[in-house]
Amino acid sequence: MRKGWKRSGGREVLEAQQSRAWLIIGWKTVGNTRCFSGTAVDVVESLGKTPHRHCLVGAEVQVKLLPECKQFLYMGTLPRGLEDQPFKMICQYYSGRPRFFTLYDTFSHIPVYSAYTFKRSDGTKKVDVPWMYEPQLALSTGSRDMQPFPPEAMHKSFEDTQAVLDDYSDSIYYERGQLNPDEHQAEPEDKAATYTLTNVVPQIREFNIGPWKEHEHTVRRRLNNYCRGTAYVVTGVTTAGHMIRRQNINRVGIPRYLWSAYCCTNYDHNAPFDERSKFPAFASHGLNDREDNKVQEMSVTQLEEFLKRVTYVGSTFQIFYDNCALPNNV
């Protein structure tokens, strides 16, 4: 094995570190040309291995949050403590507009979390939307708008970077569970945007349609009734190494836990105490299983401590800037 290279998933890949983020640089063949896949040109150049720019086949790694996606995060700030992980930032565009933000794991082919602003909703689902994928993950020149899946024969052109429909089609136990659920959106286009597989994780059916769905309804009713301003929501997963396999290849990471937290600093101070005590911020987690899958509500700090114990977040992990403190300490 060459110095600086390692074996990963049957591929020989190169490791580089820049801006505290580990980037895995792979190769693939386009026509008769051997090309870099899934990296940014400047990282490759820093290693003295410069590809032709027209040969770059992975979406450029975003090292900064796009300004247009800051609106979905409290104080425009990303959750802290994940900077050292090799994840991809996606500003989720649909019909020409940003709809929410996702931090995506291109190796497990699942979102780490999706961050969105809650919209007052009656909880109806939009059922006439095709499942979509993210061209920007597969091609540096790919559309930033999510797109409906093309014919199956074309899926191989982007399945290295994200999940495809076939990954879920033969799954008996798992359903496609949205981290940003369409029931938490109001406008038809905002609802439609939640139907991208980059916003989806495998959820055990009994958990998805049972405790987790009921929790989504509980949060929707609470924010509908008592949040007077903008509610920022971050919903994510933890994993334990288990994968959905297709054709004997690990394809999609299976979450161990789902977790969620919201922040609403402008809320009804005359709400019943049991509800008022869950503002300005509250959180939850649930086991993605058939049994013992009750969703537990807790403070955001308690959720952060839980995630520090069971996953790879750093010791400084913080979901909301300044713990969702009231502006000007009011």
Side-chain angles (χ1 to χ4, degrees), residues 301-314:
T301 300
Q302 288 173 319
L303 174 63
E304 289 168 345
E305 291 303 316
F306 171 78
L307 294 176
K308 289 175 187 178
R309 294 195 303 270
V310 303
T311 189
Y312 41 68
V313 299

Side-chain angles (χ1 to χ4, degrees), residues 242-262:
H242 301 294
M243 305 282 287
I244 290 178
R245 292 173 63 84
R246 177 164 59 87
Q247 297 177 348
N248 293 321
I249 297 174
N250 287 337
R251 284 294 304 160
V252 181
I254 300 171
R256 177 66 172 163
Y257 287 93
L258 270 73
W259 57 266
S260 187
Y262 63 80

Side-chain angles (χ1 to χ4, degrees), residues 118-121 219-226 228:
F118 172 85
K119 313 297 193 307
R120 285 182 175 81
S121 166
V219 170
R220 178 181 60 80
R221 290 190 294 266
R222 183 181 300 155
L223 296 179
N224 271 349
N225 292 333
Y226 305 114
R228 298 293 178 254

